[in-house]
Amino acid sequence: MTEQHHLIINCGDATHTVEVNADALQRVRCTLVDHDEELDQVLRALGAERSACQRAADAVRNLRHDIPSVATRIQWVETGVLDVQTYEQWCDIGAPNPGVVRNWVSALTRKGSPPLDLAQAHQEVCAWLRHGITRPLEVRRWVQAGFDPGKAQQWTKVELRPADAAAWAAASVSELEEVAGWKRLGVLRPHDRATWSDVGVTSGRRAGSWAGVGVSRPDEVAHWRSYGITVPEEVVAWAGAGIDITTDQGLAEIGQWTSLGLSAHETQAWLGNGDLLNVSLTPDDIASWRASGVHTGADLQHWATVGVTRPEDLETWRAAGVVDARTAQAWGKAHVRSLADLQRWARAGITDGDEACQWTNGKFITCPEEAGAWLKANFSNPGWARNVLNNDRQQVPEQTMALRQRGFFVLDGPPKTREQRFQALPAWVTIGPARAGAHPRAVTTERYFKGYGWLCRPEAATNVTEQDFDDNGNEVERRTRPWFPTIRVSDDLEGGG
């Protein structure tokens, strides 16, 4: 039983037919139906190459071992595959049949241009595959839009269609970050930017920032601008200040702050003191503080650190020598939490906050009275006193050591009973429900108390570290702040030393 096929070949300027007859073993005999073989022999004798018809016939015979089916062989040959090496190359890159090869050649051929030869097409397919674009249909769109594999890969990173990418390129916008910013705002083509330009959004970076605060329409930007907010960073800052920026009430509140001449960041600095003051500050409160000489939120923080919670308290502190926020900051670093603490330092012979800080930096003294004892023993340099304490305790003055021991007694509390020694937590740790203002996922807050840098019971503490944990026991937030216990244990040891 034999089968007959006709292979149509473009040979020179003509179209010729190669008749292929195959036996039951798929062996073939090729006949050049309308090809002038005698002329061909003459041309070959003169040095011409074998004709297209002859090369096609050779290929049908030579591909037998790799492509057993004659019909399939003919399809490969019609596609232009004339040798085993070319056939294997296409198979290796995922083109297992002639139809896929033709799809690739068609995808890579620009409109109005002749088809690529298979060698060039294979090379270009490999380039597209290396850049992660693997489907002929997708490649066709990028090629027709005028992009090579490298450029196309870059545009795919911002998830743009080839036609949209071509529009941006035609508008001379080639920076991907710029296009990505516009895309986040829903602008896919350059001409869609016009309505946004009318409200001051003129760059992709700015467009992306507005998208980041939830804006999706130009009128939303116009709404913000009506409240004097012209850049998205201000929106973020107002939200960070604790203002609900999604409501008209929140926007009206912003108007109250701006009427005081405060920016979002300045307002945030003021309102950040709410925890220290244990109140929610209002514009009227801030006006009162400013009228009392506290001009910035950072200044208020320094005053709040030493325990000043009302503008009317300032007069007493100023009379005691704490004349400004800078001075208050220094005393705050020295663990002063009340006028009583300030007076203890004065009785110890220290009236400068920066000098007090030298005695309290790190873990050294246990109370102001101990610093005073070192001074009375002529240890005017805290560094020298530290060195003696750490390396030559026999040189520590007796009165100083006595005050130090009593200071530790105040920090640690009375000796524990047998039952207390077996309690689950040390005295300097408490665990309870999430604190006010904790992270939204927090269910528990652990507090660790310190006095002058030493772990201590809460009643003697000057600072506390608060750690918030979620219901899985994972820490979600941590902060360290000054501590103002409701009942403060007195460690004024001046009269008992």
Side-chain angles (χ1 to χ4, degrees), residues 475-497:
E475 183 179 336
V476 292
E477 191 171 25
R478 176 186 304 200
R479 70 169 183 175
T480 297
R481 64 181 179 89
W483 178 247
F484 302 94
T486 304
I487 300 176
R488 179 74 174 273
V489 175
S490 174
D491 48 349
D492 185 347
L493 308 178
E494 181 183 39

Side-chain angles (χ1 to χ4, degrees), residues 14 40 86 222 304 323 354 370 388 434 466:
D40 201 51
T86 302
V323 297
D354 290 322
E370 183 188 339
V388 170
E466 297 170 316

Side-chain angles (χ1 to χ4, degrees), residues 44-62:
R44 290 284 309 282
L46 296 173
E49 296 182 352
R50 290 176 67 82
S51 68
C53 288
Q54 291 171 327
R55 291 198 304 272
D58 292 344
V60 171
R61 290 187 289 267
N62 296 337

Side-chain angles (χ1 to χ4, degrees), residues 199-263:
V199 292
V201 183
T202 57
S203 72
R205 183 186 65 81
R206 181 63 71 208
S209 297
W210 277 113
V213 298
V215 164
S216 60
R217 304 189 313 272
D219 63 291
E220 293 175 321
V221 176
H223 188 58
W224 281 109
R225 290 171 67 90
S226 70
Y227 284 92
I229 299 170
T230 59
V231 294
E233 289 79 8
E234 289 185 85
V235 178
V236 175
W238 285 114
I243 296 174
D244 186 354
I245 61 174
T246 64
T247 65
D248 287 338
Q249 181 180 353
L251 294 175
E253 187 178 349
I254 290 174
Q256 293 179 314
W257 296 113
T258 55
S259 68
L260 294 176
L262 298 177
S263 68

Side-chain angles (χ1 to χ4, degrees), residues 269-281 289 297-310 337 435-436 462-464 466 479-484:
W270 279 102
L271 298 182
N273 295 296
D275 285 348
L276 288 175
L277 300 175
N278 202 27
V279 296
S280 296
L281 287 170
W289 282 106
D299 287 348
L300 178 57
Q301 181 182 14
H302 299 325
W303 283 110
T305 298
V306 296
V308 177
T309 59
R310 304 177 305 166
R337 300 292 178 258
R435 61 182 172 83
T462 59
N463 293 83
V464 62
E466 297 170 316
R479 70 169 183 175
T480 297
R481 64 181 179 89
W483 178 247
F484 302 94

